[in-house]
Amino acid sequence: MGVLEIGLILMGIMFLFLGAGLWVALSLFAVGVIGLEFFTSAQTGPIIATTAWSGLASWSLAPLPLFIWMGEILFRSRLSEDMFTGLAPWLNKLPGRLLHVNILGCGIFAAVSGSSAATAATIGRMSIPELRKQGYADRLILGTLAGSGTLGLLIPPSIILIVYGVSAELSIARLFIAGILPGAMLIILFMGFVMIWATLNKDKMPPAGPVYSFVEKVRASGRLIPVIVLIAAVIGSIYGGIATPTEAAAFGVVGALILSAISGSLNWASFIDGLMGATRTSCMIGFILAGAAVLTVTMGFTGIPRELAAWIAEMNLSPYALLAALTVFFIVLGCFLDGISVVVLTTSVILPMVQAAGIDLLWFGIYVVLVVEMSQITPPVGFNLFVLQGLTGKNLFSIALASLPFFFLLLLAVLLITVFPEIATWLPQKMNG
């Protein structure tokens, strides 16, 4: 049987398992075992045992549970309230006013959470009732939340960038720093869209809120500043070569515990809840990575990635044509899988093709995250859409329609980093250490 036929059979089995509702990790393991057992002469048992272990026994994965725990601690603190009260006074004079709280709040929380769904849920729980009370249109409230919630995947410390870095054997620190400018670019694009919309639709905007003095603004931001300082210290220590991602993550956990204690939200129950939440999420991701490692080895034994890379090389596709095809592929796949699953499922097959086309793997990691962000707001399995549906009870497709402009802004961001790759690569090139 040819390599192409084997690949199609394994792909069909994978979608069959996923469609039947089997866990992503178990689906990866099962397809890997079937591929080794029926399409290679390798010894399945020893290969699975050693591969699953080596897929998890990586020092690069050490920051993962720590950053997740840092986000869990701050998730249970008063961070979302602090964001609204701290940001709102500064935004009253901007076109769109308090809608920018959703965007900037998601941007800040993304830097401590690393999760798209958690970012949308945390900021949405606080902002939706307040913005509705002040008369803002639901369409813009939900659109800004769905779009800005995706920042949790990109702005460091990003969980999905750790997963990609381990899969592609790249520096986690360099990937984190590569996500800073694209993340800032997205915030600017989102805020720019809101300002343009508000300027063109002044009749649909509520009246301006009270005017605050500079001292009142600073006082309102008092509880938010320590969190921003913590984020800057974590990312800055990595960029400056002062700390490794693991050391920075440990510092972030200690800082989050201190801030939570100072705010009065840290108690034994919240400490245990945060620790168990981080443990569950880390185990889930670890299980997926172990399954992906088994599938990657299976792909290697069958020769599918090598044949695909050779096939792509023979087609003489330009890098731009390849990226256009991959963009459509990732968007479609992301309609049915979460971001981490998309990355681990495709890495073993896609990366040889990308390398054959001469595309920088560091830049490609940021590209993948941006495209996967788009899938967070596309039905039928857009995780941010589910979160906002749970918060508001609105129809899933009406929320998807509200987030459509932000889908196109994400597409524009992909185009911008493709035309100007330095947006993703300039800061990593300037790193120390």
Side-chain angles (χ1 to χ4, degrees):
M1 187 180 295
V3 170
L4 180 60
E5 289 84 356
I6 294 173
L8 291 174
I9 291 171
L10 293 179
M11 187 186 300
I13 295 171
M14 172 66 74
F15 281 109
L16 178 65
F17 285 153
L18 292 173
L22 192 64
W23 289 358
V24 172
L26 290 178
S27 300
L28 293 169
F29 268 111
V31 173
V33 170
I34 291 170
L36 285 172
E37 194 66 34
F38 293 100
F39 301 112
T40 74
S41 57
Q43 292 183 308
T44 304
I47 288 175
I48 290 175
T50 56
T51 302
W53 170 254
S54 63
L56 294 176
S58 168
W59 184 245
S60 299
L61 281 175
L64 180 68
L66 291 171
F67 278 128
I68 294 173
W69 192 17
M70 173 182 161
E72 289 282 345
I73 294 166
L74 292 174
F75 175 71
R76 287 165 173 78
S77 71
R78 295 163 54 186
L79 177 61
S80 57
E81 297 174 32
D82 293 346
M83 279 183 186
F84 201 91
T85 57
L87 290 172
W90 296 94
L91 300 170
N92 265 330
K93 292 186 178 180
L94 276 181
R97 292 190 288 277
L98 296 186
L99 289 171
H100 296 294
V101 172
N102 278 349
I103 299 169
L104 291 175
C106 285
I108 294 170
F109 193 82
V112 297
S113 166
S115 164
S116 172
T119 299
T122 304
I123 304 303
R125 196 177 291 118
M126 181 66 193
S127 71
I128 289 173
E130 183 66 27
L131 291 175
R132 279 178 167 173
K133 187 171 70 177
Q134 298 204 25
Y136 287 88
D138 260 14
R139 182 169 182 178
L140 261 292
I141 296 173
L142 298 178
T144 51
L145 273 174
S148 305
T150 63
L151 294 168
L153 296 179
L154 179 62
I155 293 180
S158 162
I159 305 305
I160 198 169
L161 283 177
I162 296 176
V163 172
Y164 174 80
V166 172
S167 302
E169 299 181 354
L170 293 174
S171 162
I172 305 299
R174 285 169 58 78
L175 279 169
F176 277 180
I177 301 307
I180 293 176
L181 288 183
M185 176 183 70
L186 277 180
I187 292 174
I188 292 169
L189 288 175
F190 292 164
M191 291 182 69
F193 168 77
V194 169
M195 286 190 280
I196 292 170
W197 188 93
T199 303
L200 296 177
N201 298 274
K202 291 181 180 179
D203 56 317
K204 297 180 182 178
M205 294 295 296
V211 178
Y212 295 87
S213 69
F214 180 77
V215 174
E216 288 173 324
K217 291 178 181 179
V218 173
R219 189 179 296 122
S221 305
R223 291 185 304 191
L224 185 59
I225 292 171
V227 176
I228 296 175
V229 171
L230 176 64
I231 296 165
V234 169
I235 303 303
S237 64
I238 296 173
Y239 180 74
I242 300 169
T244 65
T246 306
E247 293 163 346
F251 172 78
V253 169
V254 173
L257 286 170
I258 292 172
L259 291 181
S260 186
I262 292 172
S263 70
S265 57
L266 180 64
N267 54 48
W268 184 247
S270 67
F271 178 83
I272 293 298
D273 285 346
L275 185 58
M276 291 307 297
T279 302
R280 282 190 293 269
T281 304
S282 302
C283 289
M284 178 268 290
I285 294 173
F287 196 14
I288 291 176
L289 286 173
V294 171
L295 183 60
T296 299
V297 168
T298 301
M299 294 292 105
F301 273 103
T302 58
I304 292 173
R306 185 175 60 254
E307 290 292 329
L308 272 175
W311 180 54
I312 293 294
E314 288 172 5
M315 290 175 66
N316 290 321
L317 282 178
S318 70
Y320 293 123
L322 177 61
L323 288 172
L326 288 177
T327 300
V328 175
F329 171 73
F330 279 124
I331 290 173
V332 171
L333 200 59
C335 288
F336 304 96
L337 295 170
D338 66 280
I340 291 173
S341 300
V342 169
V343 170
V344 297
L345 188 64
T346 58
T347 301
S348 61
V349 176
I350 297 296
L351 289 188
M353 297 162 51
V354 171
Q355 286 179 304
I359 297 172
D360 180 7
L361 291 187
L362 181 79
W363 176 90
F364 187 73
I366 304 303
Y367 157 83
V368 167
V369 172
L370 280 172
V371 178
V372 169
E373 281 184 346
M374 295 159 66
S375 70
Q376 299 293 300
I377 53 176
T378 51
V381 189
F383 281 82
N384 286 12
L385 304 183
F386 285 136
V387 167
L388 294 177
Q389 185 183 39
L391 288 176
T392 63
K394 282 188 166 290
N395 178 274
L396 189 74
F397 286 94
S398 69
I399 301 173
L401 188 63
S403 63
L404 190 60
F406 296 89
F407 175 88
F408 287 115
L409 289 173
L410 285 165
L411 195 59
L412 174 61
V414 171
L415 181 63
L416 286 173
I417 70 160
T418 303
V419 177
F420 307 105
E422 295 81 10
I423 296 172
T425 59
W426 183 74
L427 274 181
Q429 290 168 359
K430 300 295 180 182
M431 279 180 68
N432 293 328

